[in-house]
Amino acid sequence: MKLVFVCLGNICRSPLAEGIAREYVREMGYDFEVDSAGISGSHRGEAPHRLSQHVAKEMGIDISGFKSSQVSPYMDGDYFIAMDMSNFNDLLRLGIPKQKVLKIGDYGLDGRDVPDPYYGGVDGFYQVRDMLKIAIKNLCDELARES
Ligand code: 4NP
């Protein structure tokens, strides 16, 4: 099973989600592949935002080697997990089948969007990290139970 975390730029939220999920899947021994991508291609090839790298590193997770890529309907993936409602709607608009598109907020976050931290300071990145830790555990445990 392959999970693809999706945000707008693939430099702040979804690379952090990918890093946290890779670590969780490894710890739990789940047989999942994990990737991430962005709706926009405007940061293609870039490393994650320095503050995403920073908050990941504090958890012992190294995401410095990740490179931003743009999502495409031809991309391999069983589930495309949107960080917010705008990403969710964009994934559907791109033609990704509805049953493959999930919203991270539906996994223990009361449906809330994971807010874009790009224009703020480090506090926004900590908020994103805390939300992702909860939701990724719930998401992966649920998918593992179903598979
Ligand atoms: P992300 O954050 O979607 O979490 O990677 C953003 C990164 C870049 C931009 C917006 C959000 N941008 O407008 O360039």
Side-chain angles (χ1 to χ4, degrees), residues 5-6 10 19 114 127:
F5 292 93
V6 178
N10 192 214
V114 173
Q127 184 191 0

Side-chain angles (χ1 to χ4, degrees), residues 7-15 42-43 87 116-119:
C7 63
L8 180 58
N10 192 214
I11 54 167
C12 299
R13 291 165 292 176
S14 60
S42 61
H43 292 274
N87 310 149
D116 181 357
Y118 187 61
Y119 296 101

Side-chain angles (χ1 to χ4, degrees), residues 21-129:
R22 279 181 184 274
E23 175 61 18
Y24 187 66
V25 160
R26 192 190 62 75
E27 265 173 36
M28 299 300 290
Y30 294 152
D31 188 18
F32 298 168
E33 270 184 73
V34 182
D35 199 356
S36 67
I39 298 292
S40 150
S42 61
H43 292 274
R44 206 182 288 116
E46 289 179 26
H49 192 289
R50 66 179 178 83
L51 292 175
S52 288
Q53 292 193 39
H54 173 73
V55 300
K57 200 170 174 185
E58 282 185 350
M59 298 174 72
I61 296 173
D62 179 10
I63 60 170
S64 62
F66 293 5
K67 293 273 177 283
S68 172
S69 64
Q70 187 172 20
V71 73
S72 119
Y74 308 108
M75 192 173 176
D76 231 18
D78 296 290
Y79 291 105
F80 293 78
I81 304 116
M83 295 293 120
D84 62 33
M85 217 43 220
S86 157
N87 310 149
F88 183 90
N89 289 327
D90 284 337
L91 287 169
L92 296 178
R93 237 189 314 273
L94 280 170
I96 310 242
K98 201 167 65 201
Q99 67 275 15
K100 290 189 172 191
V101 182
L102 307 176
K103 198 186 151 193
I104 192 84
D106 290 336
Y107 295 84
L109 301 175
D110 299 321
R112 277 179 298 153
D113 285 344
V114 173
D116 181 357
Y118 187 61
Y119 296 101
V122 72
D123 288 353
F125 286 81
Y126 282 120
Q127 184 191 0
V128 167
R129 185 183 73 178

